[in-house]
Amino acid sequence: MAKKDGIRKLFNKIAPDYDRLNHILSLNIDKGWRKKAVKQIVDTAAPLNILDVACGTGDFTLEIARKAPQGSRLTGIDISEGMLEVGRRKIASAGIEAELLEGDCEALQYAGETFDRIAVGFGVRNFENIEPCLGEMYRVLAKNGKLVIVELSVPSNRFMRWCYKLYFLKILPVVGGMLSGERGAYEYLPASVLRFPGPEKFIPMMKNAGFGTVEHTSFTFGICRMYVGYKG
């Protein structure tokens, strides 16, 4: 089975419990990281055309939509229809205008230079082929646009890294498995973070995709990182 098919099935399974578990297991710290990223995305009073890639259940989409200037258009895509169904219900309940569609970042269904901003919240590490996805996002991003990526990472501090691995590899799978009945999913999630390239490798990948300037910010001892790529 291709990684992409496995990811789709995994997230379809855990979609009903994903939001509750995500906030419990992250101790709600993820909300603060998203708010900082939204400030990078919504940095103008002019209407924006925004794409939220790997939007999942729409948490990031909702936060962006609440801060976006009037007249903005927001689209979210994800390969998991189960996650999208949850997201659509949340968006309808919140009275937010946003469209969530099934879509694959490796072959985006949009013309070049369509979007002013592209966001990816905690989804890049799940891409089967990261570099083609970065290339596609660069293609559909308008000139002077920005790609803002927020992703979990491994702390650089040795003690923090030890604590992080203990929690992620030993505690999280047990708790997540007990609450969701899908322990395999909560073994995959921390493993995907450990496999994801650090900034010394990921920044060059973004530059190779075309982004001339890439900024990197570390949050909470490096547990989370934000990458901002600019298209000139």
Side-chain angles (χ1 to χ4, degrees), residues 19-152:
D19 283 341
R20 179 172 61 94
L21 284 169
N22 186 41
H23 296 311
I24 290 173
L25 297 172
S26 69
L27 307 178
N28 278 327
I29 300 174
D30 60 304
K31 293 182 179 179
W33 299 332
R34 284 192 181 92
K35 287 180 180 179
K36 291 176 181 178
V38 169
K39 289 181 180 180
Q40 281 284 344
I41 297 162
V42 183
D43 60 352
T44 176
L48 295 166
N49 192 6
I50 305 168
L51 177 66
D52 184 11
V53 174
C55 64
T57 60
D59 270 2
F60 205 16
T61 313
L62 282 166
E63 291 194 38
I64 296 168
R66 290 185 178 114
K67 297 295 183 180
Q70 187 173 2
S72 295
R73 181 179 179 183
L74 185 55
T75 306
I77 64 164
D78 200 279
I79 64 171
S80 167
E81 184 59 36
M83 298 285 275
L84 290 168
E85 286 179 6
V86 175
R88 290 179 188 125
R89 290 196 295 269
K90 286 162 60 176
I91 284 171
S93 177
I96 296 293
E97 287 192 18
E99 187 176 27
L100 300 189
L101 304 170
E102 189 169 353
D104 184 349
C105 189
E106 283 189 48
L108 293 171
Q109 60 268 45
Y110 305 105
E113 302 186 0
T114 297
F115 297 97
D116 304 301
R117 302 286 185 272
I118 299 178
V120 193
F122 310 107
V124 174
R125 71 182 188 279
N126 296 317
F127 293 166
E128 184 170 13
N129 300 296
I130 295 175
E131 289 174 300
C133 291
L134 290 172
E136 274 290 89
M137 289 189 285
Y138 182 85
R139 179 184 67 80
V140 303
L141 187 65
K143 290 181 180 178
N144 301 316
K146 285 199 291 187
L147 166 64
V148 179
I149 294 172
V150 187
E151 189 52 89
L152 295 173

Side-chain angles (χ1 to χ4, degrees), residues 167-184:
Y167 176 71
F168 245 38
L169 297 177
K170 303 296 182 182
I171 299 173
L172 186 148
V174 173
V175 176
M178 287 174 60
L179 293 175
S180 70
E182 294 290 343
R183 176 164 179 159

Side-chain angles (χ1 to χ4, degrees), residues 197-206:
E200 73 285 352
K201 293 183 179 179
F202 190 64
I203 290 173
M205 290 171 71
M206 290 184 67

